[in-house]
Amino acid sequence: MAIRAHLSPIGRIPEAGPGRHILATVTYGATTGLTVGHHGNPDLAVPMAVTAGDPFTEVWTVSGRPRWASRDDLAYAHDGSHLFVAGVLPEQDVYTPSVRALYEKAFALVNHLDYGHIFRMWNFVGDIVGSNAEGMEIYQDFVRGRAQAFHTYMGDSTAQLPAATGIGTQGRGIAFLLLATRSAVPRHLENSRQTAAYHYPGRYGPKPPSFARATVLDDVLYVSGTASILGHETVHRGDVRRQTQETLANIGHLISRDNLAPQGARGDHDLKDLRLVKAYVRREADMDEVRAVCEETLGSGVEVRYLNVAVCRDDLLVEIEGLVPGPEWEL
């Protein structure tokens, strides 16, 4: 049975639903931390300063009864089919060595527990476009460490890079989580409107970002954090409305038959099929404009959570992610 997720207000004890068990939770609120949730599960907290809605918890559930544990500064949970791993790094002068070490521990745990296919990652980077002690942008510092860890895990291959989001927070330090599966094999996808992130030119940092634009697993299409980028260039600088429109156009193309079929993936989706949508908005003053564009484009049937955090380039004003559920996904 597929892994699933739903949202729960903070303050309400998360529930799994009939025939389901809580694997792990992610709390989008005011603090950073990795703690034990109400049911004994790992709970990763990230500070996202939710100004346009209440803080919320994302609840990941599975059909099997999970086991929860910790190892090597990581918390994890698994049920025989799916694995959740999370970790937190405190603020550092330079992140590369610590990011590499922690992510290598995570990938080693994936191998040790025999969950051979990572299909989705989230990376929460405090002060993401600020500078480290060497004058390098913190996002580029993080990307360098992550790339080194992926090289240890899979060598020079990019075929196993999963869908991912790399986004700012309202705190400091770095937190991450990954989802992996044991038997089902994910298909990682690119967007023909955009250069593959792992092929970005060197002007974006010493190492290119390590992720795919989307991943399909169990008929669920996981959409990576997506922004107003054509090829590898930011477009519509300074115009939040047009950036939001371009971002949604990128996602619309990504999940369409025109993009999926040439890569051997089934389906033909449109933006109204999206669920668990998060819109990350750099400037609080732009929240209403981003909301208006999303409501115009997605319609009333798609719930969007709006989070006031910086994006991974200083000329990007908005980033959006989500997923297209499969027939067995119950929200």
Side-chain angles (χ1 to χ4, degrees):
M1 294 291 288
I3 190 171
R4 302 174 188 163
H6 64 272
L7 304 183
S8 176
I10 287 181
R12 181 184 300 171
I13 296 176
E15 298 178 356
R20 307 291 295 178
H21 304 277
I22 291 178
L23 181 71
T25 53
V26 185
T27 299
Y28 292 82
T31 61
T32 303
L34 188 54
T35 59
V36 175
H38 290 282
H39 301 273
N41 58 276
D43 177 68
L44 177 65
V46 289
M48 290 291 200
V50 185
T51 58
D54 294 329
F56 62 94
T57 296
E58 193 168 71
V59 184
W60 288 92
T61 69
V62 288
S63 56
R65 191 170 296 277
R67 297 172 58 190
W68 304 309
S70 59
R71 164 180 157 167
D72 292 336
D73 303 316
L74 302 166
Y76 65 95
H78 61 116
D79 74 333
S81 296
H82 297 94
L83 169 69
F84 171 103
V85 181
V88 174
L89 283 172
E91 184 177 8
Q92 323 253 316
D93 289 337
V94 176
Y95 281 102
T96 295
S98 296
V99 168
R100 176 178 183 171
L102 188 62
Y103 279 58
E104 284 182 349
K105 289 177 183 178
F107 298 153
L109 180 62
V110 167
N111 285 336
H112 173 73
L113 296 173
D114 193 27
Y115 289 86
H117 306 286
I118 300 171
F119 63 91
R120 188 62 165 97
M121 296 187 73
W122 284 264
N123 310 278
F124 305 101
V125 183
D127 196 20
I128 190 167
V129 291
S131 297
N132 69 8
E134 296 177 341
M136 176 184 287
E137 187 178 85
I138 287 175
Y139 179 64
Q140 295 178 4
D141 186 5
F142 156 76
V143 164
R144 181 173 59 181
R146 179 181 59 176
Q148 291 171 355
F150 264 119
H151 185 268
T152 300
Y153 177 57
M154 62 179 64
D156 293 327
S157 173
T158 58
Q160 298 177 63
L161 291 176
T165 297
I167 196 68
T169 73
Q170 293 288 353
R172 298 284 178 165
I174 292 174
F176 83 97
L177 70 93
L178 67 80
L179 297 171
T181 182
R182 175 166 285 167
S183 55
V185 179
R187 182 188 295 273
H188 307 301
L189 304 169
E190 294 303 319
N191 188 333
S192 61
R193 297 182 97 219
Q194 298 180 300
T195 304
Y198 45 80
H199 289 154
Y200 278 3
R203 65 185 171 97
Y204 295 105
K207 292 287 185 180
S210 305
F211 70 93
R213 299 293 181 186
T215 293
V216 177
L217 178 72
D218 296 326
D219 292 325
V220 179
L221 177 56
Y222 296 88
V223 176
S224 296
T226 303
S228 181
I229 296 172
L230 294 178
H232 57 77
E233 300 274 2
T234 298
V235 296
H236 312 308
R237 287 177 174 83
D239 188 331
V240 69
R241 183 175 185 84
R242 294 183 69 193
Q243 282 204 9
T244 306
Q245 291 170 334
E246 196 71 65
T247 297
L248 291 171
N250 277 335
I251 295 174
H253 177 72
L254 174 69
I255 65 179
S256 71
R257 178 181 286 116
D258 287 347
N259 187 67
L260 297 176
Q263 299 180 75
R266 296 178 300 173
D268 184 22
H269 313 291
D270 63 38
L271 291 169
K272 292 179 174 58
D273 297 324
L274 291 169
R275 297 295 183 268
L276 290 179
V277 179
K278 301 186 193 79
Y280 304 103
V281 185
R282 174 184 298 278
R283 302 183 302 213
E284 184 176 351
D286 290 336
M287 299 287 269
D288 287 345
E289 186 70 24
V290 173
R291 179 189 294 274
V293 175
C294 288
E295 290 179 351
E296 291 167 8
T297 308
L298 301 177
S300 60
V302 180
E303 181 182 15
V304 182
R305 296 294 177 128
Y306 299 90
L307 302 163
N308 179 209
V309 293
V311 186
C312 65
R313 295 183 190 176
D314 61 9
D315 56 7
L316 289 173
L317 303 176
V318 63
E319 181 170 321
I320 299 175
E321 64 169 68
L323 59 81
V324 178
E328 295 187 359
W329 184 288
E330 296 177 3
L331 293 172

